[in-house]
Amino acid sequence: MKTFTAKPSDIEKKWILIDAEGVVLGRLASIVAMRLRGKHKPSFTPHMDMGDNVIIINADKIQMTGKKRDENFYWHTGHPGGIKSRTKQQILDGAHPERVVTMAVKRMLPGGVLSRKQMTNLRVYAGAEHPHEAQSPEVLDVKAMNSKNTRSA
């Protein structure tokens, strides 16, 4: 018996729609990273892009537990003394609140060429509208998967 290895002709991609309103950020990011890689499929092949196309709406209404809204994202400009930081709350209140979700998912994927390719299958929108109705995405209810996926006040 040989190990199954998927070929590009064997790969079947779906479109998944996830509503992030009220969902905890880390739990959402881990589910989305698994879907982007294709690890939920029985024919998963680590070196192929097996994952689905994921659409996340209402990214500005994401929840975080504890004091995580006050934690910083750091980056470096490449110049001496060029360390920069912003809190997650500042990013959510700014012009691009979807970047918090995008960064969380990106950091859940392994680094490399394949992960960068898989990140192109992720679309994150701050509001409830998205331009992908023609793909007729399946709705994935992350809130109903586990009671811990939503933050209790």
Side-chain angles (χ1 to χ4, degrees):
M1 177 147 208
K2 289 187 173 184
T3 303
F4 175 77
T5 302
K7 298 174 189 67
S9 60
D10 298 334
I11 297 172
E12 188 175 315
K13 290 182 169 277
K14 294 181 184 175
W15 284 80
I16 306 292
L17 176 67
I18 298 175
D19 187 1
E21 185 175 0
V23 179
V24 176
L25 176 63
R27 289 177 167 268
L28 174 72
S30 64
I31 291 168
V32 171
M34 179 187 67
R35 291 280 175 165
L36 285 174
R37 288 202 68 201
K39 291 191 90 170
H40 63 289
K41 297 180 180 181
S43 62
F44 172 67
T45 305
H47 66 279
M48 297 294 292
D49 183 10
M50 302 280 301
D52 296 330
N53 292 293
V54 180
I55 305 164
I56 300 175
I57 57 173
N58 292 322
D60 55 345
K61 296 179 181 136
I62 197 83
Q63 294 294 318
M64 289 176 231
T65 58
K67 296 181 181 178
K68 293 188 185 93
R69 284 188 180 268
D70 302 326
E71 291 177 356
N72 287 331
F73 277 129
Y74 292 98
W75 68 95
H76 200 281
T77 62
H79 296 285
I83 189 92
K84 303 280 185 176
S85 68
R86 281 207 186 104
T87 64
K88 293 175 187 164
Q89 185 63 48
Q90 287 173 329
I91 297 171
L92 284 171
D93 293 340
H96 302 285
E98 63 275 357
R99 288 184 182 164
V100 172
V101 177
T102 304
M103 284 189 274
V105 172
K106 181 179 179 181
R107 291 170 182 185
M108 293 250 177
L109 292 172
V113 178
L114 183 60
S115 292
R116 288 190 292 273
K117 166 105 173 58
Q118 290 166 343
M119 278 300 290
T120 63
N121 296 328
L122 175 67
R123 283 108 175 147
V124 184
Y125 299 100
E129 287 81 34
H130 64 89
H132 305 288
E133 288 297 326
Q135 283 74 25
S136 59
E138 297 177 15
V139 176
L140 181 66
D141 192 7
V142 176
K143 288 182 189 177
M145 288 177 153
N146 190 338
S147 62
K148 293 181 181 178
N149 288 352
T150 58
R151 181 177 172 213
S152 57

Coordinates of all heavy atoms in Angstrom, one line a residue, residues 8-89:
P8 N -2.2 18.2 -8.5 CA -3.0 19.4 -8.7 C -4.4 19.1 -9.2 O -5.3 19.8 -9.0 CB -2.2 20.2 -9.6 CG -0.7 19.7 -9.4 CD -0.8 18.3 -9.0
S9 N -4.5 18.0 -10.0 CA -5.9 17.7 -10.6 C -6.8 17.1 -9.5 O -8.0 17.1 -9.7 CB -5.7 16.7 -11.7 OG -5.1 15.5 -11.3
D10 N -6.3 16.6 -8.4 CA -7.1 16.0 -7.3 C -7.6 17.1 -6.4 O -8.5 16.8 -5.6 CB -6.3 15.0 -6.5 CG -5.8 13.9 -7.4 OD1 -6.5 13.6 -8.4 OD2 -4.7 13.3 -7.0
I11 N -7.1 18.3 -6.4 CA -7.4 19.3 -5.4 C -8.7 20.0 -5.8 O -8.9 20.4 -6.9 CB -6.3 20.4 -5.3 CG1 -5.0 19.7 -4.8 CG2 -6.7 21.5 -4.4 CD1 -3.8 20.6 -4.9
E12 N -9.6 20.0 -4.8 CA -10.9 20.6 -4.9 C -11.1 21.7 -3.9 O -11.1 21.4 -2.7 CB -12.0 19.6 -4.8 CG -13.4 20.1 -5.1 CD -14.4 19.0 -5.1 OE1 -14.2 17.9 -5.6 OE2 -15.5 19.2 -4.5
K13 N -11.2 22.9 -4.3 CA -11.3 24.1 -3.4 C -12.7 24.5 -3.2 O -13.4 24.7 -4.2 CB -10.4 25.2 -3.8 CG -8.9 24.9 -3.7 CD -8.1 26.2 -4.2 CE -6.7 26.0 -3.8 NZ -6.4 26.4 -2.5
K14 N -13.1 24.8 -2.0 CA -14.4 25.4 -1.7 C -14.2 26.8 -1.3 O -13.1 27.3 -1.0 CB -15.1 24.6 -0.6 CG -15.4 23.2 -0.9 CD -16.1 22.6 0.4 CE -16.4 21.2 0.2 NZ -17.0 20.6 1.4
W15 N -15.3 27.6 -1.2 CA -15.4 28.9 -0.7 C -16.1 28.8 0.7 O -17.2 28.3 0.7 CB -16.0 29.9 -1.6 CG -15.2 30.2 -2.8 CD1 -15.0 29.5 -3.9 CD2 -14.4 31.4 -2.9 NE1 -14.1 30.2 -4.7 CE2 -13.7 31.3 -4.1 CE3 -14.2 32.5 -2.1 CZ2 -12.9 32.3 -4.6 CZ3 -13.4 33.5 -2.6 CH2 -12.7 33.4 -3.8
I16 N -15.5 29.4 1.7 CA -16.0 29.3 3.1 C -16.3 30.8 3.5 O -15.4 31.6 3.3 CB -15.1 28.6 4.0 CG1 -14.7 27.3 3.5 CG2 -15.7 28.6 5.4 CD1 -15.8 26.2 3.5
L17 N -17.4 31.0 4.1 CA -17.7 32.4 4.7 C -17.8 32.2 6.2 O -18.6 31.4 6.7 CB -19.1 32.9 4.1 CG -19.6 34.2 4.6 CD1 -18.6 35.3 4.2 CD2 -21.0 34.5 4.2
I18 N -17.1 33.1 6.9 CA -17.1 33.1 8.3 C -17.4 34.4 8.8 O -16.8 35.4 8.4 CB -15.7 32.6 8.9 CG1 -15.4 31.2 8.4 CG2 -15.7 32.7 10.4 CD1 -14.0 30.7 8.8
D19 N -18.4 34.5 9.7 CA -18.8 35.8 10.4 C -18.0 35.9 11.7 O -18.2 35.0 12.6 CB -20.3 35.8 10.7 CG -20.8 37.2 11.2 OD1 -19.9 38.1 11.3 OD2 -22.0 37.3 11.4
A20 N -17.1 36.9 11.8 CA -16.3 37.0 13.0 C -16.9 37.8 14.1 O -16.2 38.0 15.2 CB -15.0 37.6 12.6
E21 N -18.1 38.2 14.0 CA -18.7 39.0 15.1 C -18.9 38.2 16.4 O -19.5 37.2 16.4 CB -20.1 39.5 14.6 CG -20.7 40.4 15.6 CD -22.1 41.0 15.1 OE1 -22.5 40.7 14.0 OE2 -22.7 41.8 15.8
G22 N -18.2 38.7 17.4 CA -18.3 38.1 18.7 C -17.4 36.8 18.9 O -17.5 36.2 20.0
V23 N -16.6 36.5 17.9 CA -15.8 35.3 18.0 C -14.4 35.7 18.6 O -13.9 36.8 18.3 CB -15.6 34.6 16.7 CG1 -14.7 33.4 16.7 CG2 -17.0 34.2 16.1
V24 N -13.8 34.8 19.4 CA -12.5 35.1 20.0 C -11.4 35.0 18.9 O -11.4 34.0 18.1 CB -12.2 34.1 21.2 CG1 -10.8 34.3 21.7 CG2 -13.2 34.3 22.3
L25 N -10.5 35.9 18.9 CA -9.5 36.1 17.8 C -8.7 34.8 17.6 O -8.5 34.3 16.5 CB -8.7 37.3 18.0 CG -7.5 37.5 17.0 CD1 -8.1 37.8 15.7 CD2 -6.7 38.7 17.5
G26 N -8.1 34.3 18.7 CA -7.1 33.2 18.5 C -7.8 31.9 18.1 O -7.3 31.2 17.3
R27 N -9.0 31.7 18.6 CA -9.8 30.5 18.2 C -10.2 30.6 16.7 O -10.1 29.6 15.9 CB -11.0 30.3 19.1 CG -10.6 29.9 20.5 CD -11.8 29.7 21.4 NE -11.3 29.1 22.6 CZ -11.4 27.7 22.7 NH1 -11.9 27.0 21.8 NH2 -11.0 27.2 23.9
L28 N -10.6 31.8 16.3 CA -10.9 32.0 14.9 C -9.7 31.8 14.0 O -9.8 31.1 13.0 CB -11.5 33.4 14.7 CG -11.8 33.8 13.2 CD1 -13.0 33.0 12.7 CD2 -12.0 35.3 13.1
A29 N -8.6 32.4 14.4 CA -7.3 32.3 13.6 C -6.9 30.8 13.4 O -6.4 30.4 12.4 CB -6.3 33.1 14.2
S30 N -7.0 30.0 14.5 CA -6.6 28.6 14.4 C -7.5 27.8 13.4 O -7.0 27.0 12.7 CB -6.5 28.0 15.7 OG -7.8 27.9 16.3
I31 N -8.8 28.1 13.5 CA -9.7 27.4 12.6 C -9.5 27.8 11.1 O -9.4 27.0 10.2 CB -11.1 27.7 13.0 CG1 -11.4 27.0 14.3 CG2 -12.1 27.2 11.9 CD1 -12.7 27.4 15.0
V32 N -9.2 29.1 10.9 CA -9.0 29.6 9.6 C -7.7 29.1 9.0 O -7.6 28.7 7.9 CB -9.0 31.2 9.5 CG1 -8.6 31.7 8.2 CG2 -10.4 31.6 9.8
A33 N -6.6 29.0 9.9 CA -5.3 28.5 9.4 C -5.4 27.1 9.0 O -4.8 26.6 8.0 CB -4.3 28.7 10.5
M34 N -6.2 26.3 9.8 CA -6.4 24.9 9.4 C -7.1 24.8 8.1 O -6.8 23.9 7.2 CB -7.2 24.2 10.5 CG -7.5 22.7 10.2 SD -8.7 22.0 11.4 CE -10.2 22.9 11.1
R35 N -8.2 25.6 7.8 CA -8.9 25.6 6.6 C -8.0 26.0 5.4 O -8.1 25.5 4.3 CB -10.1 26.5 6.7 CG -11.2 26.0 7.6 CD -12.0 24.9 6.9 NE -12.9 24.3 7.8 CZ -13.9 23.6 7.4 NH1 -14.1 23.4 6.1 NH2 -14.7 23.0 8.3
L36 N -7.2 27.0 5.6 CA -6.3 27.5 4.5 C -5.3 26.5 4.1 O -5.0 26.3 3.0 CB -5.6 28.8 5.0 CG -6.4 30.1 5.0 CD1 -5.6 31.2 5.6 CD2 -6.9 30.4 3.6
R37 N -4.8 25.7 5.1 CA -3.8 24.7 4.8 C -4.4 23.4 4.2 O -3.8 22.7 3.5 CB -3.0 24.3 6.0 CG -2.1 25.3 6.5 CD -1.0 24.8 7.3 NE -0.1 23.9 6.5 CZ 0.7 23.0 7.1 NH1 0.7 22.8 8.4 NH2 1.5 22.2 6.3
G38 N -5.7 23.2 4.6 CA -6.4 22.0 4.1 C -6.3 20.8 5.0 O -6.5 19.7 4.6
K39 N -5.9 21.0 6.3 CA -5.7 19.9 7.2 C -7.0 19.3 7.6 O -7.0 18.2 8.2 CB -5.0 20.4 8.4 CG -3.5 20.8 8.1 CD -2.7 21.1 9.3 CE -2.1 19.7 9.8 NZ -1.1 19.9 10.8
H40 N -8.1 19.9 7.3 CA -9.4 19.3 7.6 C -9.8 18.2 6.6 O -10.8 17.5 6.8 CB -10.5 20.4 7.7 CG -10.7 21.1 6.4 ND1 -9.8 22.0 5.9 CD2 -11.7 21.1 5.5 CE1 -10.2 22.4 4.7 NE2 -11.4 21.9 4.5
K41 N -9.1 18.1 5.5 CA -9.4 17.2 4.5 C -8.7 15.8 4.7 O -7.5 15.8 5.1 CB -9.1 17.7 3.1 CG -9.8 19.0 2.7 CD -9.4 19.5 1.4 CE -10.2 20.8 1.1 NZ -9.9 21.3 -0.3
P42 N -9.3 14.7 4.4 CA -8.6 13.4 4.6 C -7.5 13.2 3.6 O -6.6 12.5 3.8 CB -9.7 12.4 4.4 CG -10.9 13.1 3.8 CD -10.7 14.5 4.1
S43 N -7.5 14.0 2.5 CA -6.5 13.8 1.4 C -5.4 14.9 1.6 O -4.7 15.2 0.6 CB -7.1 14.0 0.0 OG -7.7 15.3 -0.1
F44 N -5.2 15.4 2.8 CA -4.2 16.5 3.1 C -2.8 16.0 2.6 O -2.3 14.9 3.0 CB -4.2 16.8 4.6 CG -3.1 17.8 4.9 CD1 -3.1 19.1 4.5 CD2 -2.1 17.3 5.8 CE1 -2.0 19.9 4.9 CE2 -1.0 18.2 6.1 CZ -1.0 19.5 5.7
T45 N -2.2 16.9 1.9 CA -0.8 16.6 1.5 C 0.0 17.9 1.8 O -0.3 19.0 1.4 CB -0.7 16.4 -0.1 OG1 -1.6 15.4 -0.4 CG2 0.7 16.1 -0.5
P46 N 1.0 17.7 2.7 CA 1.7 18.9 3.3 C 2.4 19.8 2.3 O 2.5 21.0 2.5 CB 2.8 18.3 4.2 CG 2.4 16.9 4.4 CD 1.6 16.5 3.2
H47 N 2.8 19.3 1.1 CA 3.5 20.2 0.2 C 2.7 20.8 -0.9 O 3.2 21.4 -1.8 CB 4.7 19.4 -0.4 CG 4.3 18.3 -1.3 ND1 3.9 17.1 -0.8 CD2 4.1 18.2 -2.7 CE1 3.6 16.3 -1.8 NE2 3.7 16.9 -2.9
M48 N 1.3 20.6 -0.8 CA 0.4 21.1 -1.9 C -0.5 22.1 -1.2 O -0.8 22.0 0.0 CB -0.4 20.0 -2.5 CG 0.4 18.9 -3.2 SD 1.2 19.5 -4.6 CE -0.2 19.8 -5.7
D49 N -1.0 23.0 -2.0 CA -2.0 24.0 -1.5 C -3.4 23.4 -1.6 O -4.1 23.4 -2.6 CB -2.0 25.3 -2.4 CG -2.9 26.4 -1.9 OD1 -3.5 26.2 -0.8 OD2 -3.1 27.4 -2.6
M50 N -3.8 22.7 -0.5 CA -5.0 21.9 -0.5 C -6.2 22.7 0.1 O -7.3 22.3 0.0 CB -4.9 20.7 0.4 CG -3.7 19.8 0.0 SD -4.2 18.7 -1.3 CE -5.6 17.8 -0.7
G51 N -5.9 23.9 0.7 CA -6.9 24.6 1.5 C -8.0 25.3 0.7 O -7.9 25.4 -0.6
D52 N -9.0 25.7 1.4 CA -10.1 26.4 0.8 C -9.9 27.9 0.8 O -9.0 28.4 1.4 CB -11.4 26.1 1.7 CG -11.8 24.6 1.7 OD1 -11.5 23.9 0.7 OD2 -12.3 24.2 2.7
N53 N -10.7 28.6 0.0 CA -10.8 30.0 0.0 C -11.7 30.5 1.2 O -12.8 30.0 1.2 CB -11.3 30.5 -1.3 CG -10.4 30.2 -2.5 OD1 -9.3 30.8 -2.5 ND2 -10.8 29.3 -3.4
V54 N -11.1 31.3 2.0 CA -11.9 31.7 3.2 C -12.2 33.2 3.2 O -11.3 34.0 2.9 CB -11.1 31.4 4.5 CG1 -11.8 31.8 5.7 CG2 -10.7 29.9 4.6
I55 N -13.4 33.6 3.4 CA -13.9 35.0 3.5 C -14.3 35.2 4.9 O -15.1 34.5 5.5 CB -15.1 35.2 2.5 CG1 -14.8 34.8 1.1 CG2 -15.5 36.6 2.6 CD1 -16.0 34.6 0.2
I56 N -13.7 36.2 5.5 CA -14.1 36.6 6.9 C -14.7 38.0 6.8 O -14.2 38.9 6.3 CB -12.9 36.6 7.8 CG1 -12.2 35.2 7.9 CG2 -13.3 37.1 9.2 CD1 -10.9 35.2 8.7
I57 N -16.0 38.1 7.4 CA -16.6 39.4 7.5 C -16.8 39.8 8.9 O -16.6 39.0 9.8 CB -18.0 39.3 6.8 CG1 -18.9 38.2 7.4 CG2 -17.9 39.1 5.3 CD1 -20.3 38.2 6.9
N58 N -17.1 41.1 9.1 CA -17.2 41.7 10.5 C -15.9 41.5 11.3 O -16.0 41.2 12.5 CB -18.4 41.1 11.2 CG -19.7 41.5 10.6 OD1 -19.9 42.6 10.1 ND2 -20.7 40.6 10.6
A59 N -14.8 41.7 10.7 CA -13.5 41.6 11.4 C -13.3 42.7 12.4 O -12.6 42.5 13.4 CB -12.3 41.7 10.4
D60 N -14.0 43.8 12.3 CA -13.9 44.9 13.3 C -14.7 44.6 14.6 O -14.5 45.2 15.6 CB -14.4 46.2 12.7 CG -15.8 46.1 12.1 OD1 -16.3 45.0 12.0 OD2 -16.4 47.2 11.9
K61 N -15.5 43.5 14.6 CA -16.3 43.2 15.8 C -15.7 41.9 16.4 O -16.4 41.2 17.2 CB -17.7 42.9 15.4 CG -18.4 44.2 14.8 CD -19.8 43.9 14.4 CE -20.4 45.2 13.9 NZ -21.1 45.1 12.7
I62 N -14.4 41.6 16.2 CA -13.8 40.5 16.8 C -13.6 40.7 18.3 O -13.5 41.8 18.8 CB -12.4 40.2 16.1 CG1 -11.9 38.9 16.4 CG2 -11.4 41.3 16.6 CD1 -12.4 37.8 15.5
Q63 N -13.6 39.6 19.1 CA -13.4 39.7 20.5 C -12.0 39.2 20.9 O -11.5 38.3 20.2 CB -14.5 38.8 21.2 CG -15.9 39.3 21.1 CD -16.1 40.7 21.7 OE1 -15.7 40.9 22.8 NE2 -16.8 41.6 21.0
M64 N -11.5 39.7 22.1 CA -10.3 39.2 22.6 C -10.5 39.1 24.1 O -11.2 39.8 24.7 CB -9.2 40.2 22.3 CG -8.7 40.2 20.9 SD -7.5 41.5 20.6 CE -8.2 42.3 19.2
T65 N -9.9 38.0 24.7 CA -10.0 37.8 26.1 C -8.9 38.5 26.9 O -7.8 38.8 26.3 CB -9.9 36.3 26.4 OG1 -8.7 35.8 25.9 CG2 -11.1 35.5 25.7
G66 N -9.1 38.7 28.1 CA -8.1 39.3 29.0 C -7.7 40.7 28.5 O -8.5 41.5 28.1
K67 N -6.4 41.0 28.6 CA -5.9 42.3 28.3 C -5.2 42.3 26.9 O -4.4 43.2 26.6 CB -4.9 42.8 29.3 CG -5.5 43.0 30.7 CD -4.5 43.4 31.7 CE -5.1 43.6 33.1 NZ -4.1 44.0 34.1
K68 N -5.7 41.5 26.0 CA -5.0 41.3 24.7 C -5.2 42.5 23.8 O -4.4 42.8 22.9 CB -5.4 40.1 24.0 CG -5.0 38.8 24.7 CD -5.3 37.6 23.9 CE -4.9 36.4 24.7 NZ -6.0 35.8 25.5
R69 N -6.3 43.3 24.0 CA -6.5 44.5 23.2 C -5.4 45.5 23.5 O -5.1 46.4 22.7 CB -7.8 45.1 23.5 CG -8.9 44.4 22.8 CD -10.2 45.1 23.0 NE -11.3 44.4 22.4 CZ -11.7 44.6 21.1 NH1 -11.1 45.4 20.4 NH2 -12.7 43.9 20.6
D70 N -4.7 45.5 24.7 CA -3.7 46.4 25.0 C -2.3 45.9 24.7 O -1.3 46.7 24.8 CB -3.8 46.7 26.5 CG -5.1 47.3 26.9 OD1 -5.7 48.0 26.1 OD2 -5.6 47.0 28.0
E71 N -2.2 44.7 24.2 CA -0.9 44.2 23.8 C -0.4 44.8 22.4 O -1.3 45.1 21.6 CB -0.9 42.6 23.7 CG -1.0 42.0 25.0 CD -1.1 40.5 24.9 OE1 -1.2 39.9 23.7 OE2 -1.2 39.8 25.9
N72 N 0.9 44.8 22.2 CA 1.4 45.5 21.0 C 1.7 44.5 19.9 O 2.1 43.4 20.2 CB 2.7 46.3 21.4 CG 2.4 47.5 22.2 OD1 1.3 48.1 22.0 ND2 3.3 47.9 23.0
F73 N 1.6 45.0 18.7 CA 2.2 44.4 17.5 C 3.5 45.2 17.3 O 3.4 46.4 17.2 CB 1.3 44.5 16.3 CG 0.2 43.4 16.2 CD1 -1.1 43.7 16.0 CD2 0.6 42.1 16.3 CE1 -2.1 42.7 15.9 CE2 -0.4 41.1 16.2 CZ -1.7 41.4 16.1
Y74 N 4.6 44.5 17.1 CA 5.9 45.2 16.8 C 6.3 44.9 15.4 O 6.0 43.8 14.9 CB 6.9 44.6 17.8 CG 6.7 45.0 19.2 CD1 6.1 44.1 20.1 CD2 7.1 46.3 19.7 CE1 5.9 44.5 21.4 CE2 6.9 46.6 21.0 CZ 6.3 45.7 21.9 OH 6.1 46.1 23.2
W75 N 7.0 45.8 14.8 CA 7.7 45.6 13.5 C 8.9 46.6 13.5 O 9.0 47.5 14.3 CB 6.7 45.8 12.3 CG 6.3 47.2 12.1 CD1 6.8 48.2 11.3 CD2 5.2 47.9 12.8 NE1 6.1 49.3 11.4 CE2 5.1 49.2 12.3 CE3 4.2 47.5 13.7 CZ2 4.1 50.1 12.7 CZ3 3.3 48.4 14.1 CH2 3.2 49.7 13.6
H76 N 9.8 46.3 12.6 CA 11.0 47.1 12.4 C 11.1 47.6 11.0 O 10.8 46.9 10.1 CB 12.2 46.2 12.8 CG 13.4 47.0 13.1 ND1 14.2 47.7 12.2 CD2 13.9 47.4 14.3 CE1 15.2 48.3 12.8 NE2 15.1 48.1 14.1
T77 N 11.5 48.9 10.9 CA 11.5 49.6 9.6 C 12.8 49.2 8.8 O 12.8 49.4 7.6 CB 11.5 51.1 9.8 OG1 12.7 51.5 10.5 CG2 10.3 51.5 10.5
G78 N 13.8 48.6 9.5 CA 15.0 48.3 8.8 C 16.1 49.3 9.1 O 17.2 49.1 8.7
H79 N 15.7 50.4 9.7 CA 16.7 51.5 10.0 C 17.1 51.4 11.4 O 16.3 50.9 12.3 CB 16.1 52.9 9.7 CG 15.8 53.1 8.2 ND1 16.8 53.3 7.3 CD2 14.6 53.0 7.5 CE1 16.3 53.4 6.1 NE2 14.9 53.3 6.2
P80 N 18.2 51.9 11.8 CA 18.6 51.9 13.2 C 17.6 52.6 14.1 O 17.2 53.7 13.8 CB 20.0 52.6 13.2 CG 20.5 52.5 11.9 CD 19.3 52.4 11.0
G81 N 17.2 52.0 15.2 CA 16.2 52.5 16.1 C 14.8 52.5 15.5 O 14.0 53.3 15.9
G82 N 14.6 51.7 14.5 CA 13.3 51.7 13.8 C 12.2 50.8 14.3 O 11.4 50.4 13.5
I83 N 12.3 50.4 15.6 CA 11.2 49.6 16.1 C 9.9 50.4 16.3 O 9.9 51.5 16.8 CB 11.7 48.9 17.5 CG1 10.7 47.9 17.9 CG2 11.8 49.9 18.6 CD1 11.0 46.5 17.5
K84 N 8.9 49.8 15.8 CA 7.6 50.5 15.9 C 6.6 49.6 16.5 O 6.7 48.3 16.5 CB 7.0 50.8 14.5 CG 7.9 51.6 13.6 CD 7.8 53.1 13.9 CE 8.6 53.9 13.0 NZ 8.5 55.3 13.2
S85 N 5.5 50.1 17.1 CA 4.5 49.3 17.8 C 3.2 50.0 17.8 O 3.1 51.2 17.7 CB 4.9 49.0 19.2 OG 4.9 50.1 20.0
R86 N 2.1 49.2 17.8 CA 0.8 49.7 17.9 C 0.0 48.6 18.7 O 0.2 47.5 18.5 CB 0.1 49.9 16.6 CG 0.4 51.1 15.9 CD -0.7 51.6 15.0 NE -0.2 52.8 14.2 CZ 0.2 52.7 13.0 NH1 0.1 51.6 12.3 NH2 0.6 53.8 12.4
T87 N -0.9 49.1 19.5 CA -1.8 48.1 20.2 C -2.8 47.6 19.3 O -3.2 48.2 18.3 CB -2.5 48.7 21.5 OG1 -3.4 49.7 21.0 CG2 -1.4 49.3 22.4
K88 N -3.4 46.4 19.6 CA -4.4 45.9 18.8 C -5.6 46.8 18.8 O -6.3 46.9 17.7 CB -4.8 44.5 19.3 CG -3.7 43.5 19.1 CD -4.0 42.2 19.7 CE -2.7 41.3 19.6 NZ -2.8 40.1 20.5
Q89 N -5.9 47.4 19.9 CA -7.1 48.4 19.9 C -6.9 49.5 19.0 O -7.8 50.0 18.3 CB -7.3 48.9 21.3 CG -8.5 49.7 21.5 CD -9.8 49.0 21.2 OE1 -10.0 47.9 21.7 NE2 -10.7 49.5 20.4

